[in-house]
Amino acid sequence: MRISAIYGTIALLSVLLTAGYCVRFSKKNVWLTWLFFSMCVVHLGYFGISVSRSVEGALWGNRVAYLGNVFLPVCMLLTVLDVCEVRYRRRLPVTLMLCGLAVCLMVLHHFLYDLC
């Protein structure tokens, strides 16, 4: 079995689990939903890397996976805090997301600079 088939299966399962969670549960944990979505993006990026036929395709898959990986730890931390019923200030998620967004913008700026 080729590695691309394994990555494709994992990406498909990730998408199906995300869709199933969004459809099945009426009371959703916002951070768990974002965690599922972030994992979908990561797995789709890894699948893109595995099926790429050129360096440029692999770089695009890596960028997609990186985008998901930036927000993955934030979503995981906030999901664990919610499940454990730990109280945190409202500005914690905003601060963490802004830090992740800043990292994404730096990478995007670098990527756009390389295109020009």
Side-chain angles (χ1 to χ4, degrees):
M1 181 180 258
R2 291 180 46 143
I3 195 74
S4 299
I6 294 170
Y7 279 120
T9 304
I10 291 171
L12 179 65
L13 285 173
S14 180
V15 169
L16 291 175
L17 285 171
T18 301
Y21 177 76
C22 289
V23 169
R24 173 70 172 97
F25 295 102
S26 60
K27 185 180 178 186
K28 296 174 195 63
N29 182 333
V30 174
W31 297 113
L32 186 58
T33 306
W34 279 104
L35 181 65
F36 272 113
F37 181 71
S38 183
M39 287 301 297
C40 282
V41 172
V42 170
H43 290 304
L44 289 172
Y46 290 156
F47 178 66
I49 294 170
S50 72
V51 297
S52 67
R53 299 284 182 231
S54 66
V55 173
E56 187 63 32
L59 287 173
W60 272 102
N62 195 27
R63 289 176 186 122
V64 170
Y66 183 78
L67 180 66
N69 279 326
V70 166
F71 296 107
L72 193 63
V74 174
C75 296
M76 193 174 296
L77 172 70
L78 294 171
T79 300
V80 169
L81 289 177
D82 283 348
V83 168
C84 294
E85 296 179 357
V86 174
R87 294 188 186 270
Y88 51 87
R89 293 187 178 173
R90 263 196 130 136
R91 61 184 163 199
L92 177 68
V94 173
T95 305
L96 292 175
M97 285 297 195
L98 285 175
C99 288
L101 185 64
V103 170
C104 276
L105 289 175
M106 285 188 286
V107 170
L108 183 62
H109 172 2
H110 181 68
F111 168 66
L112 291 176
Y113 182 75
D114 286 346
L115 284 179
C116 296

